[in-house]
Amino acid sequence: MNDFNSAEYVVTQAKEGKNLRTRRLLLLLYIVLGLGISGTLVALKLVPVVAIVPLLLWILVHFTWRKVNVEYKYVVAHSRVAFSECYSSGSDKVTLDVPVSDFEFIGKLPEAEPKMKEYSPAKIYDYRGSVSKTPAAVGLIELYGVKTAVMFIYDKRTAGLFRLYNKKTEL
């Protein structure tokens, strides 16, 4: 970013928890499907057709593996923060774009956990990439009448911008 009052932060989804489980299930699916189709074709004495199985698997991998290979990005610019999911195919999907001033509270984790429990959000966005990554922060905001918590990794530059655009920031 070239703008003086803007910052961008990108974090890769760690291979843990739900992401790790999904990766393992996809690998198992690829193996079972490849062996199943190949075995069926051999049993039907269609051995030459087995040559297309790698192509079919490649198509399946191409469209499914990107869902577990994700990066989270947020950009703070012009008093707004935009959170995106970036897939390996190069497509970015903006999942949340709000003014920084709309946050009712922004603070460091784990110090902000009591405030988050008191707020009791109905929806939680987690852009940390890993539960153990630090320094992590949480922003509490009401979106469309729904109490929402947004967890993210921050650095010195983004913390300064959050403080600049929102006086309720405790970073």
Side-chain angles (χ1 to χ4, degrees), residues 132-168:
S132 60
K133 291 238 183 197
T134 56
V138 64
L140 304 175
I141 187 170
E142 191 165 324
L143 296 171
Y144 311 109
V146 177
K147 290 184 176 183
T148 306
V150 182
M151 294 187 282
F152 57 94
I153 303 295
Y154 72 94
D155 62 352
K156 190 176 182 180
R157 175 106 169 108
T158 57
L161 289 173
F162 279 117
R163 279 193 299 273
L164 174 69
Y165 295 128
N166 189 329
K167 300 304 176 199
K168 301 172 198 159

Side-chain angles (χ1 to χ4, degrees), residues 24-158:
R24 288 180 177 165
L25 287 173
L26 282 174
L27 287 172
L28 183 64
L29 172 74
Y30 303 150
I31 292 168
V32 168
L33 205 58
L35 292 175
I37 293 172
S38 297
T40 303
L41 290 173
V42 169
L44 294 173
K45 297 184 181 177
L46 296 171
V47 177
V49 183
V50 173
I52 67 165
V53 172
L55 178 63
L56 294 174
L57 286 176
W58 177 81
I59 292 169
L60 180 66
V61 169
H62 178 71
F63 288 107
T64 58
W65 192 253
R66 69 185 187 103
K67 294 295 183 183
V68 293
N69 214 13
V70 66
E71 289 182 335
Y72 299 113
K73 173 174 83 171
Y74 71 92
V75 179
V76 182
H78 308 293
S79 77
R80 295 187 71 83
V81 61
F83 292 92
S84 305
E85 294 177 353
C86 310
Y87 296 101
S88 60
S89 62
S91 62
D92 288 5
K93 178 183 173 190
V94 176
T95 53
L96 186 63
D97 186 1
V98 294
V100 176
S101 60
D102 284 0
F103 282 96
E104 296 175 27
F105 172 80
I106 303 171
K108 292 180 185 178
L109 286 173
E111 294 88 4
E113 283 182 10
K115 183 85 170 173
M116 187 174 156
K117 285 183 182 171
E118 176 188 317
Y119 191 72
S120 63
K123 184 160 180 106
I124 297 175
Y125 290 100
D126 192 350
Y127 297 102
R128 294 178 293 177
S130 173
V131 177
S132 60
K133 291 238 183 197
T134 56
V138 64
L140 304 175
I141 187 170
E142 191 165 324
L143 296 171
Y144 311 109
V146 177
K147 290 184 176 183
T148 306
V150 182
M151 294 187 282
F152 57 94
I153 303 295
Y154 72 94
D155 62 352
K156 190 176 182 180
R157 175 106 169 108
T158 57

Side-chain angles (χ1 to χ4, degrees), residues 7-18:
E8 181 176 315
Y9 194 86
V10 179
V11 61
T12 303
Q13 174 66 49
K15 297 171 183 84
E16 66 183 20
K18 182 181 176 185

